[in-house]
Structure formats: structure tokens, C-alpha cells
Amino acid sequence: MKGFAVVVGFCAFLAHSAVLAEAPGDPLSWLGRIASAGHRLNYSGIFIYQSGKNFETSRIAHLADPVGGERERLEVLDGSPREVIRNNSEVRCVLPDQKMVIVDQPGGQRAFPSRLPASFGGLAENYRIRKGEVGRVAGLDAQLIVLEPKDNLRYGHLLWAELQSGLLLKARTVGETGEIIEQFTFSDVKIGGEIGSEALKPRYTGESDWRVVRAHGVEVPREEIGWSLSAPLPGFALTSVVRRPLGNDRGEALHLVFSDGLAAVSVFIEPAGTSGTRPGVVPMATGAVNMYKRIVAGHVVTALGEVPLETVRRMGDGIERGAR
């Protein structure tokens, strides 16, 4: 039996070495694999989201069809039922308890395991990027890629990618002292193969009395914004400007997105009379998301994102009326 164990261990070593030989050595090449794998591969599985003491389990199925594009179904398995159905760029968030369906085109927002943008070349300007050790996630060998922020305006990120496919198996966001801000981890995953229609079929079809909220924004030319950031934050650039309906005859909000290529801050600007927010500064935090509100020129400015509080505070304080 001892000899059998030695043979098995030696075979495992050879298989592991062969995989390592095929994998790229450059950490930037790994980021490229991670960025594309979440979109081009078929996969299904169960992952756990952790934020502080809160945990949430979700089931996901993703189909990459050369003809029909991407289709995805995500179902939250804990607490109040929720389901997210994606068909290419359109996302339908179904909330059965509220009898509501929210239809949106989130644009630059990225969900696990597609956490990285297609264009990531600028990340090296704001993060030190290096390879870590090879570990195991959901029973699969995974290469660790570490992104260490060069300042205190963004969090650090640890990314574990499956060695053969590059699919992101685990993503951890960490604070300045290394504390876990949030984490996504596959507990079970199947990469490749067929994704049946049943796996993508919505559980909730929506009844006639359900409310449908269409949150699609309308793009606004940057020269017509009427607002500007007086003191730009290092590494963050304006990437998107849209007008979004507030609902219930409350008018519209201007939605600006500033990003460094990985971290993003959303700034919403709406008339003060529509939000019920009292004048004054209101900082808040929920898990990895920090939020900061203030009143300026008769409008409520809300800055929020998965960044440190200092970042949203500086972003919120820097927004002023008038185009630059």
C-alpha cells in the first residue's frame, strides 16, 4: 500500500507540473485570462459571498453561445428569494417578495466571477501586481494573483484563477491591514460542457400584478453634464454619464461613474426635494460599499462604491455645479 501511495503521489506531481508548464508566468497575462474566462466559458456552480459576519449562497449557470451571446441565471439560495437573469447586456433582477422586476443595462458593473474589465492595461498604474502561490479552491488548482494598491484610495484584491481555464474561483477584497472586506468563493463548480436550458430557465416568471421597473439610463454627452469634479482623484477617470429615472414621478438622477479600471465610484446627483435627505454630510457603509451624501446647489450628491470611505468622501466633496 505504501508503494501504491508513492506512485499516486508521483502521478499527481507530474500532472500538476504539466498544468503549471502550460500556464502563463506573467501576472498581467493571468489578468487577461481571468478577464476573458468569465465571458467565454460555460460554467455552473455554487458560490458563497461573505461580507463581515454575513454570508450568502448563490447558484449560477453561465452559457457562452457564439451565436446568441451570453446568457446567465443566478439564484440567491439564502433569505429572501432573488433571481438575476442576464441576456447579453440586459439584466432582469426578480424580487418575488416585493412582486417586482427591475430591468437594467448595468454597463460597467461587473459581477463574480467576471470581476475584471476587458481592458485592464492601466491597472499597473494604481496597483502592484504579482503572482502568489498555487492553492486549491473547490477542489481545483488555482493560481493566486495579488493586486496591492499604491495608495489608500482603493482596496487590495486577491484573485484565485483555475490553472487550466483561467476562470476566477475566488475573489477577496482586503483593507489596508489585510482584513477581509468581502469575498466570493466557489464551493462547487463545473467548467465547460453543456449548459442545459433548465439551468437557465427563470424560476419566477412574474405575474400580471407585479411591478416592472425599467432602470435603463440615457447617455448624456459629457459637455452637457453641468457638473464637474473640482479635484480629480489619482487614477480615477470619468467613464460613464447617464440619466436614470427615479420612479414615482420623482424625475431623474444624473449618474456619473469614475473608475481606475477595477474599482469604481458611482456619483448620483438629484434635486434635493426628491430624496427626503436633510442638508448635511451623511457617511454610511454596508460591507465593501461605502456611501457619502451631501447637499450642494439644491441637489443631493451621493457617492458610493467598493472603495474606502475616504475615496467616496473626497469624490462627494469634489463634485460642484458648472461644467469645466
Side-chain angles (χ1 to χ4, degrees), residues 70-121:
E70 289 185 75
R71 294 174 59 198
E72 182 177 286
R73 176 178 176 268
L74 184 148
E75 180 183 8
V76 178
L77 303 178
D78 305 326
S80 299
R82 279 170 289 154
E83 185 177 63
V84 179
I85 305 296
R86 181 161 72 90
N87 188 350
N88 291 313
S89 62
E90 183 180 85
V91 174
R92 299 173 65 88
C93 183
V94 183
L95 308 173
D97 285 356
Q98 302 178 40
K99 295 185 176 181
M100 180 186 297
V101 179
I102 301 173
V103 183
D104 197 5
Q105 291 179 324
Q109 297 181 17
R110 297 176 297 276
F112 182 82
S114 300
R115 295 283 282 176
L116 289 184
S119 177
F120 54 85

Side-chain angles (χ1 to χ4, degrees), residues 9-22:
F10 181 65
C11 290
F13 169 77
L14 291 179
H16 183 71
S17 299
V19 171
L20 287 177
E22 295 175 0

Side-chain angles (χ1 to χ4, degrees), residues 297-313:
H299 288 73
V300 178
V301 173
T302 303
L304 62 92
E306 293 185 354
V307 292
L309 179 58
E310 175 65 15
T311 307
V312 293
R313 186 192 303 274

Side-chain angles (χ1 to χ4, degrees), residues 117-135:
S119 177
F120 54 85
L123 292 182
E125 297 179 8
N126 303 299
Y127 300 88
R128 288 180 286 270
I129 305 170
R130 61 178 175 83
K131 288 176 62 179
E133 299 294 327
V134 174

Side-chain angles (χ1 to χ4, degrees), residues 221-243:
R222 299 191 181 188
E223 61 272 14
E224 298 178 10
I225 297 175
W227 295 80
S228 63
L229 185 62
S230 60
L233 272 66
F236 286 90
L238 181 63
T239 59
S240 170
V241 182
V242 298
R243 291 193 184 278

Side-chain angles (χ1 to χ4, degrees), residues 33-43 62-65 69-72 86 88 109-111 113-118 167:
R33 297 184 75 203
I34 295 171
S36 64
H39 298 287
R40 65 177 174 79
L41 296 175
N42 289 355
Y43 52 87
H62 178 272
L63 171 66
D65 187 339
E70 289 185 75
R71 294 174 59 198
E72 182 177 286
R86 181 161 72 90
N88 291 313
Q109 297 181 17
R110 297 176 297 276
S114 300
R115 295 283 282 176
L116 289 184
L167 183 69

Side-chain angles (χ1 to χ4, degrees), residues 241-289:
V241 182
V242 298
R243 291 193 184 278
R244 294 190 177 276
L246 294 172
N248 296 328
D249 299 322
R250 293 169 54 204
E252 296 178 320
L254 192 63
H255 180 194
L256 290 69
V257 178
F258 297 85
S259 176
D260 68 357
L262 180 58
V265 178
S266 285
V267 176
F268 295 90
I269 304 170
E270 59 183 290
T274 66
S275 67
T277 301
R278 298 177 181 177
V281 172
V282 184
M284 286 173 276
T286 303
V289 178

